[in-house]
Amino acid sequence: MDFGLLTQFAINGLMLGMMYALVAVGFTLFFGVLDVIVFSHGDVVMVGGFAGLTTFYWLDAIYPGLSHGLMLLWVALASMASMALLGIVMARTMILRLRSAPPLNTLLATMMLGTVLREAVRLFYPNGSNPKPFPALLPDWSLDMGHLSLRLDNLILFSLGALLIVSIHLLITRTRLGMAIRAVAQDAETARIMGVNFNAIVFLTFALGSAAAAFAGIMNGLYYNEINFGMGLLLGAIGFSAAVIGGLGNIYGAILGGFAFAFLQTLGAVALPFASAYKDVFAFGVVILIMAWRPTGFIAEKTSERV
Amino acid sequence: MFKPMMIEDVYTAYGKADVLSGVTMEVWPGRITCLLGSNGSGKSTLIRSILGLTPPHSGSIVFDGLELAGLPPHGIVARGIACIPEGRRIFAKMTVEENLRMGAYLERSDAKVRANMERIYETFPRLRERRLQLAGTMSGGEQAMVSIGRGLMSSPRLLIIDEPSLGLSPALVNDNFRIIRQICESGTAVFLVEQNVRQTLAISHCGYVLAQGRVVASGTAEELRNDPEVRQAYFG
Ligand SMILES: Nc1ncnc2c1ncn2[C@@H]1O[C@H](COP(=O)(O)OP(=O)(O)O)[C@@H](O)[C@H]1O
Ligand SMILES: [Mg+2]
């Protein structure tokens, strides 16, 4: 295989890795702060994509001449803000209420919520059961060299994703609110004794995680030029796996886990060029093997490496 | 100077059974008020009731003229109450300095936070040396300093301390009692829960004895020392 093609694989892997990392950060934040696995998180990514698409339709109808850059800004902001709100509503109406119930109930409830979101988009979004073309809002300039094509839109997408992840990371490690998130993740009761408003921190966490998911949804749409109602299923499974690979509750781990999963997929595609459709099977298979190989490794991480 | 904290006829339960059954107490500024009682008598539960972590289902707790029952913990802490919880409960994955900052979480003025931190570092020079170390990697005695320092970071008017001697060497326990005395002399009301009866009564002004969720004895430290029930239970 030539160098150009390999580089192309690497670039695609990085793009996917960024998307997965954005999803995994949510899983890990929710688990860190509340010890819950929010199975609807993948579908929030999907709804975020659709919220972005809807914003685009509106803007395009009201301000047809708006530049693509401004359009993207508004699409991203509207989608992230609405998913942040959805996250807060979820936390308030379901997650916090279910805290006194067995953890299994939260799992089940969020799984059902995921189905509700998926079916709602399929049934109620105009022509929602078909894939929707996503507008190309980024410049389509590219540098082509044999098998390798360096695309400006990918570079911009990757940079925006990186900016978002770095911002979340800085917020959590450097600010007072971030310190409160970490405190709640380590010992919620003691954090409350220090004067932390527990519910507010839970809402903040869900807003952050869901906004990151919304951006992953938009990134997905811009990268594949389409979105569909079912895309959250796989993205959710991948984001969850990535968070587990990195040690649930650990932010660095989730980011690394996202890239690790994309690396596995890419490896699968490179190693099995005759059957690249099996790249997900390969990647998930390796994740299962890792977990079987080091079952206690993850549990130890879980208790020691909170946020 | 503020008025005493008045705890009146407080009932608290986890689930159905009452753990506290009609507790009435006063905690005065400028005094160390101790709370004695055997394991499981409800001492920590009373603290949880005051802080709003396990709110009482009846009774009232008035601090500085304001009813606390019904407020969330962050609302209660904001009135000037701080707690050094049982078992230290430091944030193990945070640095010493972050732990101290958490103690002043509700203080918005960075200048005040810094001034308080400076004061803590003067009391515990060891913490200044270790300020960037993860608190979880420190020795038990150092972690106790972090927990005490954190409790003082908000310059509370009432400091609640739950079994500070637990698991410390006798020398460190002595240090602890000396520091608690200093805290009280600086004008803070101290509500001290302890099992170490002799030393506790030696530094306290007054106190209460709890048994099965009820106050069974109260008075000045001197009176408690001579109380036949206390003598029988603690001094054999
Ligand atoms: N979280 C809890 N849930 C249920 N029961 C509890 C809980 N915490 C304490 N208890 C019970 O309440 C009683 C008083 O406990 P506690 O207040 O911790 O006593 P103390 O601090 O005096 O040792 C004990 O019988 C204990 O079993
Ligand atoms: Mg106790």
Side-chain angles (χ1 to χ4, degrees):
Chain A
M1 193 174 294
D2 76 324
F3 177 75
L5 198 57
L6 270 184
T7 313
Q8 190 69 60
F9 271 115
I11 291 175
N12 294 351
L14 283 177
M15 296 300 294
L16 293 178
M18 184 58 78
M19 263 181 255
Y20 302 160
L22 284 164
V23 184
V25 161
F27 275 107
T28 224
L29 272 178
F30 305 155
F31 184 82
V33 165
L34 272 180
D35 283 344
V36 294
I37 301 297
V38 180
F39 268 112
S40 49
H41 193 53
D43 296 291
V44 172
V45 176
M46 178 273 296
V47 176
F50 275 86
L53 185 62
T54 310
T55 312
F56 169 77
Y57 289 150
W58 281 348
L59 282 175
D60 199 41
I62 304 170
Y63 305 108
L66 204 61
S67 79
H68 277 179
L70 277 179
M71 198 80 106
L72 177 58
L73 181 72
W74 283 112
V75 162
L77 284 183
S79 160
M80 287 166 70
S82 52
M83 288 312 101
L85 197 66
L86 176 66
I88 292 172
V89 170
M90 261 167 57
R92 177 168 189 115
T93 56
M94 288 177 49
I95 314 279
L96 282 177
R97 271 167 206 277
L98 284 167
R99 252 164 73 78
S100 46
L104 217 53
N105 294 22
T106 306
L107 217 94
L108 198 60
T110 56
M111 248 165 99
M112 292 190 286
L113 175 69
T115 309
V116 167
L117 291 176
R118 218 154 43 235
E119 287 300 291
V121 169
R122 185 171 77 89
L123 296 171
F124 302 124
Y125 201 86
N127 200 11
S129 52
N130 289 326
K132 298 285 190 181
F134 202 89
L137 294 174
L138 289 166
D140 61 359
W141 183 88
S142 71
L143 184 63
D144 297 299
M145 298 178 290
H147 285 296
L148 174 64
S149 140
L150 295 174
R151 298 171 46 151
L152 181 61
D153 57 353
N154 283 355
L155 181 66
I156 295 175
L157 264 186
F158 188 84
S159 311
L160 288 177
L163 186 72
L164 185 59
I165 280 211
V166 170
S167 310
I168 291 177
H169 188 254
L170 286 181
L171 178 100
I172 286 170
T173 51
R174 299 285 165 82
T175 67
R176 175 174 170 274
L177 279 176
M179 192 166 73
I181 292 180
R182 283 183 289 142
V184 169
Q186 285 179 42
D187 183 344
E189 190 168 286
T190 306
R192 295 175 79 195
I193 294 175
M194 300 299 128
V196 172
N197 181 340
F198 177 77
N199 285 0
I201 290 301
V202 170
F203 296 152
L204 173 68
T205 308
F206 272 78
L208 271 179
S210 304
F215 189 83
I218 305 249
M219 192 167 169
N220 208 271
L222 289 170
Y223 187 67
Y224 291 116
N225 303 314
E226 70 164 48
I227 54 177
N228 67 73
F229 75 92
M231 70 194 238
L233 271 178
L234 187 59
L235 274 171
I238 292 177
F240 183 28
S241 309
V244 171
I245 295 174
L248 266 176
N250 180 340
I251 296 247
Y252 277 122
I255 298 169
L256 288 180
F259 285 100
F261 194 93
F263 171 76
L264 287 176
Q265 275 182 324
T266 310
L267 194 67
V270 174
L272 315 164
F274 45 89
S276 65
Y278 289 99
K279 66 184 196 310
D280 291 342
V281 177
F282 175 77
F284 280 119
V286 173
V287 171
I288 292 171
L289 283 181
I290 295 176
M291 289 196 296
W293 174 46
R294 292 201 55 190
T296 52
F298 298 112
I299 293 162
E301 190 97 88
K302 176 182 120 184
T303 49
S304 68
E305 280 288 340
R306 281 302 168 74
V307 177
Chain B
M1 195 73 13
F2 64 98
K3 289 172 255 171
M5 174 170 72
M6 314 282 271
I7 301 169
E8 253 186 69
D9 207 20
V10 159
Y11 286 76
T12 305
Y14 301 99
K16 286 219 166 115
D18 279 340
V19 171
L20 299 180
S21 317
V23 171
T24 298
M25 288 183 190
E26 292 176 11
V27 178
W28 286 78
R31 283 191 198 168
I32 297 174
T33 306
C34 69
L35 177 58
L36 306 171
S38 54
N39 256 331
S41 57
K43 305 183 298 295
S44 297
T45 302
L46 179 60
I47 293 180
R48 298 177 61 85
S49 303
I50 297 171
L51 293 173
L53 292 168
T54 309
H57 62 80
S58 94
S60 103
I61 301 174
V62 175
F63 178 69
D64 204 17
L66 282 162
E67 177 64 54
L68 299 184
L71 291 179
H74 58 96
I76 291 171
V77 171
R79 304 253 177 260
I81 299 179
C83 172
I84 299 171
E86 189 174 357
R88 326 220 189 297
R89 305 283 284 265
I90 53 151
F91 297 109
K93 291 265 155 192
M94 290 190 186
T95 62
V96 170
E97 194 151 310
E98 283 176 322
N99 266 278
L100 295 183
R101 280 188 182 278
M102 279 310 298
Y105 179 72
L106 291 176
E107 177 57 65
R108 291 309 187 109
S109 144
D110 201 52
K112 265 195 197 152
V113 173
R114 294 199 159 281
N116 278 351
M117 199 177 291
E118 193 53 37
R119 204 166 39 92
I120 307 289
Y121 284 153
E122 266 156 35
T123 316
F124 303 107
R126 187 109 192 124
L127 294 187
R128 191 199 303 273
E129 290 165 28
R130 300 286 169 102
R131 63 194 189 81
L132 298 180
Q133 188 174 333
L134 290 186
T137 65
M138 312 211 331
S139 73
E142 289 166 338
Q143 294 192 6
M145 293 179 200
V146 173
S147 185
I148 295 172
R150 187 180 65 180
L152 292 172
M153 273 297 288
S154 59
S155 315
R157 295 186 294 169
L158 167 65
L159 181 64
I160 301 172
I161 314 178
D162 196 353
E163 304 212 25
S165 309
L166 211 67
L168 289 185
S169 70
L172 288 173
V173 169
N174 285 338
D175 281 353
N176 255 348
F177 278 107
R178 187 174 44 77
I179 288 163
I180 291 167
R181 219 186 170 120
Q182 284 171 7
I183 294 168
C184 172
E185 278 159 12
S186 70
T188 304
V190 175
F191 189 45
L192 175 63
V193 170
E194 260 295 355
Q195 301 260 14
N196 192 335
V197 177
R198 215 178 285 270
Q199 267 176 303
T200 303
L201 285 177
I203 67 160
S204 299
H205 300 89
C206 54
Y208 297 85
V209 179
L210 210 57
Q212 294 180 343
R214 288 193 166 80
V215 176
V216 292
S218 66
T220 64
E222 188 59 36
E223 284 164 356
L224 285 177
R225 233 188 316 265
N226 299 320
D227 185 285
E229 280 213 37
V230 178
R231 290 191 76 87
Q232 200 202 348
Y234 296 109
F235 297 103

